[in-house]
Amino acid sequence: MKFNIIHGPNLNFLGIREPEIYGHQTLDDINQEIMAYALENGHEVSFFQSNYEGAIIDHIQAAHFEKMDGIVINPGAYTHYSYAIHDALKSVSVPAVEVHLSAVHQREEFRKISVTAPACIGQISGFGADSYILGILAVIRHK
């Protein structure tokens, strides 16, 4: 199966940004873990990170034309207010899972609200880099 892994804003600063919340792994470390899992299980993964909403939307739409089997997306702060990303996820026929490294429901009130999750088949949070792998598994089991 082919998966598009999309990382939203500020995830390029993992390992630097608030390590007490997000840990010491860099985005590259996380991508390497996901890639190792994918290779072990015969899956293809592509990675994309952007701090720009429009670029994320373009990448979601590209997943449709690239015939991806699933999208695993960490929209970052866009989770809480990007109806444009919500609409993009709804517009493609590719199932998506929203993931978060931290346990968002145990943090600030605003982090508990996701406008993008309703456009996904589910949401996974609080398992660090494993949230992405669990997202891949969720898509596989959904299919």
Side-chain angles (χ1 to χ4, degrees), residues 12-109:
N12 57 314
F13 255 55
L14 289 173
I16 298 168
R17 175 187 179 208
E18 301 175 277
E20 66 282 359
I21 294 172
Y22 299 106
H24 295 282
Q25 284 185 305
T26 66
L27 185 59
D28 196 43
D29 295 335
I30 290 171
N31 286 344
Q32 287 177 22
E33 277 189 39
I34 297 165
M35 179 62 78
Y37 170 81
L39 291 173
E40 286 174 19
N41 292 280
H43 304 303
E44 293 178 41
V45 290
S46 63
F47 301 98
F48 179 75
Q49 188 279 325
S50 181
N51 295 319
Y52 300 97
E53 185 178 36
I56 292 168
I57 292 165
D58 289 344
H59 216 68
I60 291 167
Q61 292 173 350
H64 170 80
F65 295 108
E66 294 168 3
K67 307 237 185 286
M68 291 288 176
D69 294 299
I71 296 170
V72 177
I73 182 169
N74 183 339
Y78 289 132
T79 300
H80 317 296
Y81 63 87
S82 181
Y83 292 101
I85 290 175
H86 170 276
D87 289 350
L89 289 165
K90 291 289 279 189
S91 72
V92 299
S93 58
V94 182
V97 174
E98 178 179 298
V99 301
H100 298 282
L101 297 166
S102 68
V104 293
H105 296 286
Q106 296 175 0
R107 296 185 59 201
E108 302 95 334
E109 279 304 307

